Amino acid sequence: MASLFVALLGQMRSPVSQESLPDPRIGIIPFSDIMAAERTGSQDSMIEMDAQNKMTEKPAAYDPNSDFEAATIVPDPSERGTTSGKDSPAVNDEAVQDPNIVDFDGPEDMDNPMNWPMKKRWQNIAVISVLTIITPLGSSMFAPGIPRILAEFEESSSTVATFILSVYILGFAFGPLLVAPLSEIYGRSVMYNTGNVFFFIFTICTALSNGIPMMMAFRFLMGVAGSVPITLGSGSISDMMPVEFRGRAMAVWAIGPLLGPCIGPVAGGYLIRAAGWRWVYWLIAIVTGLIAVFTFFTLRESYAPVILERRAARLRKETGNPILRSKLADNTTTPAEKLKTALVRPMYFLFRVPIVTLLSLYVAVTYGVLYLLFTTFSLVFGQNTLGSSYGFGEGEVGLVFIPSAIGMALGIVIFGAMSDKLVTQKISSGEKHKPEIRLTPFLTIPAGVTLPIGLFLYGWTTHYGVHWIVPMIGVVIFCFGLMGIMMACQNYLLDVYPQNAASVTAALAVLRSLAGALLPLGAIDMYIALGLGWGNSLLGFISLGLIPIPLLFFLFGERIRGVKKVPTATEA
């Protein structure tokens, strides 16, 4: 021990330039600690323990081998050229040996979103949820006024009538391909605030439209800008929430993108009757402007790699040490390569990872059917175009969307609570959490069965003109099952790929929104050819055939996800 002490003193006496010294706040053991360790004969253990505490301390209940914990704190091993788990302590060793690595400072570091007080996390989620209510309003709030818009611009095509509504959802399909990659480079909050500004501008432009082509163009751009909270919401939740709270957080966030299109037409129908269709967009613009200001001052950045990179940049400036770097930074690739990989990753997930491909297909079909119903409600219950006999006015047609909201609300409450309860029970019993618990058959099979039941009931009761309350019950049943399937699939994918949550959500959103935009285009022709009864029955049979997909991944998901990795820069 004495010889080691002499060697340390010799190093201290040797001339070293100030610039070459590492930052004294990062990973340096005080000299007094070494003296105390020498006096007690435990210098080695003291140095090791202090270094471990200062450099690798993690939040409480942190498990580096977990598939889900500290989702965005642990970098994707495949992109750093290492393997995770006990067999490869390379990341932790790097933090201990290299004093120029900048990391979070343990469970007391409030810059780490996983250490935020629960109240602060829920406040962030509440702000994001409000954003996800506003942007989907633009998709369907003006739906009851489509006949008036066609008359104003002297258009009679039924395809145009449908596409005016669905072009907005087409923007939801293309927006995530840009939004998700940029959020993983520049952070979540920048994207939220930028999206708010562009959504505000494009909404005003839509209100000023002087023709259907101009309206379609700006509605598409509204969808692109409005896709930001839809795309990043689940990623933000994964940044902040441990797995046992993720289901209920997802339920709160899901209220916006799913209930927004349902409640919008209720108010929109009466607003259009009183003030005209343009005031739908003026109202959305006013509300967006107010919320954008509130979001700018309240929403905190939650993406750990960006937070650490900003901390490293600040310390480089304060200390004059240019080699300080974030623990989660990827220094093996250029910025251009990082951007390329980030842009490719959502499509890689969608087309080359079977878990994402099949579950996205299931979600896309259910979402497409939902929007098919939305785009034809005004025709089925209003104009008698499809042979029904309800004859609702503009205001009453808006009320037809309320059962959709009721079914979704029931699904959010029930399936969100049950999903988290299953996870909590597993963790409390000492078992390691496996993402497949999210696809438990007694959740996904009943949810899957309710989809065709609701469609059969809705289709045949509208076909025979049964009292409107009966087809509306069918809509409630369908939307209840829809929420069960969407929440189970999305929670499962977040647990499987937490560090790439935004890219996985983007992959889901692309296929889901394409189905939501394109399926309604054939709705009127399908109903004219097959009738409301057999047309909706066809959709019900398709939904019935997709029920085994969650069961497949419940049984074999662990084996399948062990085969496919996320894309690296080389693969991209």
Side-chain angles (χ1 to χ4, degrees), residues 352-433:
R352 297 187 61 184
V353 180
I355 292 176
V356 179
T357 303
L358 291 178
L359 292 180
S360 295
L361 176 64
Y362 197 176
V363 170
V365 170
T366 57
Y367 192 78
V369 171
L370 175 69
Y371 263 85
L372 186 149
L373 297 180
F374 283 171
T375 55
T376 55
F377 275 163
S378 60
L379 303 177
V380 172
F381 293 96
Q383 299 178 339
N384 300 327
T385 303
L386 301 176
S388 58
S389 56
Y390 296 99
F392 290 1
E394 287 177 338
E396 290 77 14
V397 166
L399 298 176
V400 173
F401 289 80
I402 292 179
S404 306
I406 294 173
M408 290 181 184
L410 291 173
I412 286 171
V413 173
I414 294 174
F415 289 107
M418 292 180 68
S419 179
D420 274 356
K421 185 176 180 181
L422 288 172
V423 174
T424 303
Q425 287 176 346
K426 287 286 185 181
I427 294 176
S428 60
S429 65
E431 297 182 42
K432 181 181 177 181
H433 171 74

Side-chain angles (χ1 to χ4, degrees), residues 142 145-165 167 205-206 208-220 277-278 281:
F142 84 119
I146 288 179
R148 184 176 295 197
I149 294 172
L150 295 177
E152 178 177 336
F153 294 124
E154 300 179 353
E155 179 62 62
S156 59
S157 170
S158 60
T159 302
V160 171
T162 304
F163 196 63
I164 290 176
L165 186 65
V167 70
C205 293
T206 307
L208 298 173
S209 297
N210 55 17
I212 286 182
M214 180 178 176
M215 175 184 287
M216 286 186 176
F218 282 111
R219 273 183 59 80
F220 172 78
W277 64 267
R278 294 181 190 272
Y281 294 102

Side-chain angles (χ1 to χ4, degrees), residues 345-567:
R345 189 180 291 120
M347 303 309 292
Y348 178 98
F349 273 118
L350 183 58
F351 293 111
R352 297 187 61 184
V353 180
I355 292 176
V356 179
T357 303
L358 291 178
L359 292 180
S360 295
L361 176 64
Y362 197 176
V363 170
V365 170
T366 57
Y367 192 78
V369 171
L370 175 69
Y371 263 85
L372 186 149
L373 297 180
F374 283 171
T375 55
T376 55
F377 275 163
S378 60
L379 303 177
V380 172
F381 293 96
Q383 299 178 339
N384 300 327
T385 303
L386 301 176
S388 58
S389 56
Y390 296 99
F392 290 1
E394 287 177 338
E396 290 77 14
V397 166
L399 298 176
V400 173
F401 289 80
I402 292 179
S404 306
I406 294 173
M408 290 181 184
L410 291 173
I412 286 171
V413 173
I414 294 174
F415 289 107
M418 292 180 68
S419 179
D420 274 356
K421 185 176 180 181
L422 288 172
V423 174
T424 303
Q425 287 176 346
K426 287 286 185 181
I427 294 176
S428 60
S429 65
E431 297 182 42
K432 181 181 177 181
H433 171 74
K434 293 183 179 180
E436 283 69 31
I437 193 69
R438 302 287 192 184
L439 301 178
T440 300
F442 75 79
L443 287 180
T444 56
I445 291 180
V449 170
T450 58
L451 295 176
I453 290 176
L455 288 170
F456 293 149
L457 182 61
Y458 170 79
W460 289 106
T461 52
T462 53
H463 179 82
Y464 289 109
V466 179
H467 189 275
W468 60 266
I469 192 65
V470 182
M472 290 298 95
I473 292 174
V475 173
V476 171
I477 294 172
F478 172 80
C479 290
F480 174 78
L482 171 86
M483 281 308 307
I485 293 301
M486 292 188 71
M487 291 189 66
C489 293
Q490 190 145 333
N491 283 331
Y492 173 67
L493 291 175
L494 286 181
D495 285 0
V496 174
Y497 303 107
Q499 66 272 25
N500 298 111
S503 292
V504 171
T505 304
L508 275 172
V510 168
L511 203 58
R512 181 185 68 196
S513 300
L514 282 175
L518 299 179
L519 275 182
L521 296 179
I524 296 176
D525 291 337
M526 179 187 71
Y527 283 143
I528 291 175
L530 300 178
L532 291 171
W534 282 112
N536 285 289
S537 294
L538 174 63
L539 301 175
F541 289 130
I542 294 173
S543 301
L544 196 63
L546 297 174
I547 291 176
I549 291 179
L551 182 61
L552 169 69
F553 293 117
F554 175 77
L555 297 175
F556 306 108
E558 185 174 8
R559 187 183 310 170
I560 295 172
R561 60 188 169 90
V563 175
K564 269 293 180 185
K565 304 183 303 178
V566 297

Side-chain angles (χ1 to χ4, degrees), residues 191-215:
M191 299 307 299
Y192 284 122
N193 290 314
T194 304
N196 287 342
V197 171
F198 281 106
F199 186 77
F200 176 77
I201 294 172
F202 295 144
T203 302
I204 292 176
C205 293
T206 307
L208 298 173
S209 297
N210 55 17
I212 286 182
M214 180 178 176
M215 175 184 287

Side-chain angles (χ1 to χ4, degrees), residues 185-186 330-343:
I185 296 175
Y186 300 107
D330 181 6
N331 299 308
T332 62
T333 58
T334 65
E337 290 173 335
K338 292 178 184 177
L339 180 60
K340 176 189 172 184
T341 303
L343 290 171

